C-alpha cells in the first residue's frame, strides 16, 4: 500500500518520542553548564607542566631539553633554557626553562609533546573551559599558568600518574641505596687512611 | 560567452550585476536568458562544507555543473614534507575528520611498508575494531545527512547522531579525543585499552542492530525517500570504473571491489564478511549500500571482539623519536568508509618524507558529480552530492 512505509516510519518516531520520557537508553541529552558528564580518564585537552613540592616554578620537572619544542607538529611551544643548573629530584644538576610558552590557540591537543618527553614533565589536562576575550595574549600560556602540581595530575589521570610516581620513587630508592653503599665503602676505606 | 539579458523593467527587478552570484548566461536568440547560472555554495548548508557548485540551469533542470573546491586547502602534503613522520600523524586526523582512525591506519600502513615494521597481533585486532566502528559512525551520519538533504529536517539525523555519540564515547575513553584521535603509531597503537573498554565496545556493538532496525523502519521503505532517490543520479559501471570511483559508490554500481578483500591488508582475510553490491547505481542503491555495509561491519566487529588476544600493543623495535626510514617508496591503501584512501611516500633517508601524497576517496568520487547530476532537478543535485559522501577536509587537504 502506498504510504505504509511512511506510517511505519511515523510509528518509529512516536516510539522514540514516548521512549525519550521513560527509557534511559533514549534520554541522552545533558543540559551542559548545569549538568556535566564525568570526564574520561584518557581525555586530553591542552598540556600542562607538572611540578613537585609546594613552589610551582621551583619544582617544575621540565629540564628544558627542548625535545617537545622540536617535535610539536604545529610548533606552538617556545622554550628558553636557564643559564644556571639546579638539582633535580635525583640530585643531578639540570637546566630548567627560563621561558616556557605554549600558544594554545595553535595547539591541536595531539599529545605528541607528552609522548616524547623523557622526563614526564608535560602532561595533558582535561580543562576545556578556557575561553577568553583576548585571543592573542590571553591564549599564550606562560609557565606560571601552565604549572600544575603532581596532585592535579594524580586527579585527572590516576593510572598514568600512579605508574610514573612509582617509577620515580623506585629511581630515587635505587639512587639512595647506591649512595648508601658508596658511603659504606668509603667508611671501610677510611680507617686505614686515618 | 556573450551575455544577453532582458532589460530590467521587463523583468521587474534589478538587473543582475556581472560578478554577482546569479547572472544570466543564456545566449539562445530565440529565448534569451533561458539559461541561468547559479552558484550553490560555498556557504550553502547542503554542500557539506565549504564547497561550491556552479550550476547552469534551464528552468529547474541542470544543464551543466562544475564542482569548485579548494576553500579548505591547508597545505597538508607540503607541511608533511617538512616535519617528522610522526608529526604528520595528527594532521591525518584532519583529512576526513569523520574518520580519523582510518586515516591514521592508512598512513601508518604506508610508513610500515616503507620501513618494514611489523605490527603485533593485538594492535592489528584493535585497528580492525576501531576502523569498523569508524565505518559504522560514518555511515550512520551519512544516512542521517542524506535524509536531511531530502528535507527530513532533524529526526533521522538526530537518531544517527545519538548512536554515533556512543561510538565517539568509546573513542574518547580509548584515545583521549572524540574525533581527532591520533591513536595509531608506526608498528602498533599508542596505548592499550583501559580496563573494561572491550566490554563497553561489545555492548555498543550488541545494541547497534536494534538501532539499525529502527532506522530501516524509519527510512528504507519510506515512499518519499524511494521516489526521491530511485533512478536519480545513476552511475554506470563503465563510468565508475573509468573515473576511478571507489568505495560504496563503486559497489552501488555493481562492481565487486573492496580493498579489504582485494588487498587483505591487516588481518582482514581472517574475518568472514560479504561485500554488498548494488544493481542500479542510483542514489537509493548508494544509500542501501551504507545500510548493508553497517550490517557486515557489525559481523566483523563481533568476530574481532571475540578473537582479540592479549599481548603487546606496539612493536618494541618501533621508534618514536628520530625515526628515519631508509630510502625508498611505498603506497599504503585501505578501504576507508568513503573509498580507497592511499598514502604515497618517498623517503630519501632523512627524518621527513621527500614526497608525501594523499589519494583521497572523496576527491576522486567527486569528479563524476556532473555526469550524475545533468538532466535532474536542482533539488536532486543536493541529494546526489550527499549520497557520494564527501568531506571537504579530505577533498581540499
Ligand atoms: S617538557 Fe619534557 S620534552 Fe619538553 S623541554 Fe621539558 S623536559 Fe624536555
Ligand atoms: S599537544 Fe601537540 S600541538 Fe599541543 S603543544 Fe603538545 S605537541 Fe604541540
Amino acid at each position: 500500500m502506498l504510504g505504509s512505509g511512511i506510517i511505519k516510519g511515523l510509528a518509529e518516531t512516536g516510539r522514540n518520542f514516548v521512549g525519550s520520557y521513560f527509557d534511559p537508553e533514549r534520554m541522552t541529552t545533558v543540559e551542559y553548564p548545569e549538568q556535566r558528564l564525568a570526564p574520561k580518564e584518557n581525555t586530553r585537552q591542552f598540556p600542562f607542566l607538572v611540578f613537585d613540592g609546594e613552589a610551582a616554578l621551583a619544582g617544575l620537572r621540565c629540564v628544558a631539553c627542548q625535545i617537545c619544542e622540536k617535535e610539536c607538529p604545529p610548533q606552538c611551544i617556545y622554550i628558553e633554557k636557564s643559564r644556571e643548573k639546579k638539582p633535580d629530584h635525583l640530585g643531578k644538576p639540570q637546566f630548567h626553562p627560563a621561558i616556557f610558552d605554549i600558544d594554545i590557540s595553535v595547539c591541536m591537543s595531539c599529545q605528541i609533546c607528552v609522548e616524547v618527553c623523557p622526563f614526564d614533565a608535560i602532561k595533558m589536562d582535561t580543562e576545556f573551559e578556557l575561553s577568553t576575550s583576548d585571543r592573542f595574549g590571553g591564549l599564550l600560556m606562560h609557565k606560571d599558568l601552565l604549572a600544575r602540581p603532581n596532585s592535579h595530575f594524580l586527579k585527572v589521570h590516576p593510572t598514568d600518574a600512579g605508574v610514573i610516581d612509582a617509577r620515580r620513587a623506585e629511581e630515587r630508592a635505587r639512587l639512595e641505596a647506591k649512595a648508601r653503599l658508596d658511603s659504606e665503602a668509603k667508611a671501610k676505606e677510611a680507617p686505614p687512611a686515618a | 560567452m556573450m551575455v544577453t539579458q532582458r532589460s530590467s523593467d521587463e523583468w521587474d527587478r534589478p538587473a543582475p550585476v556581472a560578478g554577482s552570484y546569479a547572472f544570466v548566461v543564456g545566449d539562445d536568440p530565440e529565448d534569451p536568458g533561458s539559461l541561468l547560472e547559479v552558484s550553490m555554495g560555498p556557504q550553502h548548508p547542503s554542500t557539506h562544507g565549504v564547497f561550491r557548485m556552479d550550476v547552469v540551469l534551464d528552468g529547474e533542470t541542470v544543464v551543466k555543473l562544475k564542482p569548485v573546491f579548494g576553500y579548505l586547502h591547508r597545505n597538508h602534503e607540503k607541511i608533511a614534507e617538512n616535519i617528522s613522520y610522526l608529526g604528520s600523524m595528527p594532521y591525518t586526523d584532519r583529512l576526513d575528520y569523520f574518520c580519523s582512525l582510518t586515516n591514521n591506519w592508512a598512513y601508518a600502513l604506508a610508513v610500515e611498508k616503507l620501513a618494514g615494521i611489523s605490527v603485533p597481533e593485538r594492535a592489528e585486532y584493535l585497528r580492525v575494531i576501531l576502523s569498523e566502528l569508524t565505518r559504522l559512525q560514518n555511515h550512520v551520519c551519512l544516512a542521517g545527512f542524506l535524509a536531511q538533504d531530502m528535507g527530513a529536517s532533524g529526526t533521522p539525523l538526530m537518531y544517527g547522531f545519538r548512536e554515533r555519540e556512543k561510538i565517539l564515547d568509546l573513542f574518547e575513553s580509548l584515545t583521549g579525543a572524540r574525533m581527532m584521535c591520533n591513536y595509531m603509531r608506526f608498528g602498533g597503537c599508542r596505548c592499550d585499552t583501559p580496563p573494561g573498554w572491550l566490554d563497553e565496545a561489545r555492548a555498543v556493538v550488541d545494541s547497534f542492530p536494534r538501532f539499525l532496525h529502527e532506522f530501516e523502519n524509519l527510512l528504507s521503505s519510506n515512499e518519499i525517500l524511494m521516489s526521491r532517490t530511485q533512478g536519480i543520479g545513476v552511475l554506470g559501471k563503465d563510468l565508475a570504473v573509468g573515473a576511478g570511483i571507489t568505495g560504496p559508490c563503486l559497489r552501488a554500481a555493481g562492481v565487486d571491489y573492496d580493498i579489504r578483500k582485494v588487498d587483505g591488508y591487516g588481518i582482514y582475510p581472517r574475518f568472514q564478511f560479504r561485500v554488498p553490491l548494488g544493481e542500479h547505481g542510483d542514489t537509493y542503491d548508494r544509500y542501501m549500500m551504507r545500510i548493508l555495509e553497517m550490517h557486515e561491519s557489525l559481523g566483523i566487529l563481533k568476530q574481532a571482539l571475540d578473537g582479540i588476544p592479549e599481548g603487546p600493543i606496539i612493536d618494541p623495535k618501533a621508534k618514536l623519536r628520530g625515526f628515519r626510514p631508509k630510502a625508498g617508496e611505498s603506497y599504503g591503501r585501505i578501504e576507508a568508509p568513503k573509498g580507497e584512501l592511499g598514502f604515497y611516500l618517498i623517503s630519501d633517508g632523512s627524518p621527513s618524507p621527500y614526497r608525501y601524497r594523499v589519494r583521497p576517496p572523496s576527491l576522486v568520487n567527486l569528479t563524476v558529480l556532473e555526469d550524475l547530476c545533468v538532466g535532474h532537478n536542482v533539488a536532486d543535485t543536493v541529494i546526489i552530492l550527499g549520497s557520494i559522501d564527501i568531506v571537504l577536509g579530505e577533498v581540499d587537504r
Side-chain angles (χ1 to χ4, degrees):
Chain A
M1 189 193 85
L2 187 70
S4 63
I6 297 178
I7 291 169
K8 219 161 84 182
L10 281 177
E12 206 54 65
T13 323
R15 202 158 37 239
N16 269 280
F17 174 68
V18 177
S20 69
Y21 283 94
F22 304 107
D23 183 357
E25 269 256 307
R26 297 185 196 274
M27 292 188 276
T28 45
T29 319
V30 171
E31 310 259 340
Y32 160 59
E34 291 85 24
Q35 272 178 312
R36 281 153 194 270
L37 298 171
K40 305 220 165 34
E41 192 182 330
N42 276 346
T43 304
R44 57 180 145 94
Q45 301 293 346
F46 293 106
F48 66 91
L49 296 174
V50 187
F51 69 83
D52 295 310
E54 294 301 313
L57 294 183
L60 285 182
R61 287 182 188 174
C62 175
V63 299
C65 67
Q66 297 183 310
I67 290 174
C68 56
E69 185 186 29
K70 205 165 128 257
E71 293 285 333
C72 169
Q75 298 281 295
C76 65
I77 306 182
Y78 177 77
I79 300 173
E80 253 176 43
K81 237 185 221 180
S82 63
R83 287 173 183 280
E84 78 291 0
K85 293 188 176 185
K86 62 179 183 185
D88 67 353
H89 76 293
L90 297 178
K92 247 201 324 214
Q94 295 277 23
F95 289 110
H96 52 97
I99 299 180
F100 196 116
D101 290 349
I102 297 182
D103 188 346
I104 62 164
S105 65
V106 176
C107 173
M108 56 181 183
S109 313
C110 65
Q111 204 173 353
I112 296 241
C113 49
V114 176
E115 279 168 67
V116 297
C117 175
F119 297 90
D120 301 313
I122 189 166
K123 292 290 162 196
M124 293 311 262
D125 208 345
T126 49
E127 174 68 49
F128 56 91
E129 288 154 323
L130 295 161
S131 55
T132 152
S133 53
D134 173 12
R135 70 188 170 105
F136 299 106
L139 291 171
L140 181 68
M141 302 291 225
H142 302 300
K143 63 177 178 180
D144 48 335
L145 283 174
L146 290 169
R148 298 269 186 292
N150 193 28
S151 56
H152 177 77
F153 182 34
L154 268 167
K155 200 178 86 201
V156 292
H157 304 297
T159 321
D160 266 7
V163 170
I164 289 170
D165 277 358
R167 190 169 68 222
R168 286 169 70 90
E170 193 191 320
E171 276 170 12
R172 253 195 315 272
R174 212 180 310 132
L175 197 82
E176 272 162 23
K178 194 160 158 274
R180 216 174 24 247
L181 280 181
D182 282 356
S183 62
E184 274 167 20
K186 266 214 193 93
K188 260 188 211 146
E189 275 167 24
Chain B
M1 186 189 290
M2 201 184 80
V3 176
T4 38
Q5 53 185 59
R6 300 176 197 189
S7 71
S8 54
D9 32 280
E10 214 179 313
W11 273 39
D12 199 22
R13 61 171 193 192
V17 191
S20 74
Y21 272 83
F23 50 96
V24 183
V25 294
D27 51 358
D28 179 2
E30 294 289 298
D31 186 9
S34 64
L35 293 183
L36 189 71
E37 183 179 341
V38 179
S39 175
M40 288 173 74
Q43 308 280 0
H44 197 277
S46 72
T47 56
H48 299 231
V50 271
F51 171 64
R52 188 156 74 90
M53 288 182 280
D54 248 338
V55 262
V56 176
L57 300 175
D58 180 6
E60 274 283 311
T61 315
V62 177
V63 183
K64 257 200 238 163
L65 185 146
K66 195 173 82 186
V68 184
F69 39 79
Y71 295 96
L72 210 60
H73 181 65
R74 290 154 303 169
N75 222 347
H76 175 67
E77 294 178 358
K78 200 69 201 169
I79 290 175
E81 285 164 20
N82 288 300
I83 56 176
S84 64
Y85 282 86
L86 173 66
S88 304
M89 187 58 92
Y91 283 118
T92 60
D93 290 342
R94 283 129 179 108
L95 283 174
D96 172 358
Y97 38 76
F98 268 89
C99 316
S100 63
L101 285 158
T102 47
N103 300 345
N104 284 180
W105 193 1
Y107 177 51
L109 201 68
V111 176
E112 281 154 11
K113 268 191 189 171
L114 189 63
I117 308 173
S118 64
V119 182
E121 194 83 336
R122 186 175 172 84
E124 289 277 24
Y125 269 92
L126 261 181
R127 285 179 175 191
V128 169
I129 293 171
L130 290 170
S131 74
E132 292 308 320
L133 283 172
T134 304
R135 199 181 313 278
L136 282 182
Q137 57 106 349
N138 178 72
H139 286 358
V140 129
C141 286
L142 171 104
F145 275 121
L146 194 59
Q148 167 107 335
D149 288 341
M150 274 176 252
S153 343
T155 311
L157 182 62
M158 282 307 127
Y159 292 178
F161 266 51
R162 188 185 63 203
E163 296 314 302
R164 173 175 180 248
E165 204 62 19
K166 295 177 189 160
I167 296 176
L168 291 188
D169 280 348
L170 280 180
F171 288 172
E172 188 183 358
S173 57
L174 176 59
T175 71
R178 292 152 53 80
M179 290 175 78
M180 303 296 131
C181 297
N182 180 22
Y183 180 62
M184 292 178 198
R185 292 286 174 267
F186 317 131
C189 299
R190 198 183 68 217
C191 54
D192 207 345
T193 52
W197 188 87
L198 288 171
D199 296 324
E200 281 169 44
R202 203 166 282 127
V204 169
V205 170
D206 287 342
S207 69
F208 211 87
R210 172 179 148 193
F211 158 75
L212 262 187
H213 179 69
E214 235 178 69
F215 203 75
E216 278 191 80
N217 267 347
L218 182 68
L219 286 179
S220 295
S221 58
N222 186 307
E223 284 83 0
I224 303 175
L225 182 128
M226 294 207 273
S227 63
R228 284 295 305 273
T229 55
Q230 288 182 345
I232 302 291
V234 177
L235 174 64
K237 253 188 196 179
D238 296 337
L239 178 62
V241 173
I245 309 299
T246 45
C249 294
L250 177 68
R251 292 193 287 273
V255 184
D256 185 2
Y257 184 77
D258 186 322
I259 298 171
R260 289 175 292 178
K261 290 276 189 201
V262 177
D263 271 15
Y265 63 91
I267 49 164
Y268 271 113
R270 290 189 206 170
F271 299 113
Q272 296 280 322
F273 64 100
R274 292 170 301 171
V275 178
L277 292 182
E279 276 174 31
H280 313 285
D282 57 1
T283 307
Y284 187 74
D285 273 11
R286 284 195 286 277
Y287 161 76
M288 278 315 285
M289 231 18 61
R290 267 75 183 217
I291 301 283
L292 296 174
E293 277 190 12
M294 281 196 265
H295 285 292
E296 295 306 316
S297 286
L298 285 172
I300 301 178
L301 275 168
K302 282 216 180 76
Q303 297 168 41
L305 284 167
D306 286 340
I308 184 166
E310 290 294 323
I313 194 81
I314 190 158
D315 186 24
K317 288 201 293 293
K319 272 207 297 190
L320 202 56
R321 272 192 296 130
F323 176 70
R324 283 162 175 260
K326 57 183 187 311
E329 55 183 298
S330 74
Y331 181 65
R333 60 175 190 170
I334 66 161
E335 180 75 29
K338 295 179 170 63
E340 172 183 340
L341 173 65
F343 282 81
Y344 177 55
L345 299 169
I346 302 181
S347 160
D348 56 359
S350 65
S352 41
Y354 172 77
R355 180 76 177 100
Y356 174 105
R357 155 97 186 134
V358 188
R359 188 250 186 238
S362 299
L363 172 68
V364 180
N365 292 357
L366 198 55
T367 51
V368 290
L369 186 62
E370 179 170 17
D371 303 85
L372 299 189
C373 289
V374 166
H376 293 297
N377 290 346
V378 196
D380 294 332
T381 61
V382 174
I383 302 177
I384 294 170
L385 179 70
S387 74
I388 293 179
D389 194 10
I390 57 165
V391 156
L392 269 299
E394 185 177 70
V395 173
D396 298 339
R397 279 159 291 142

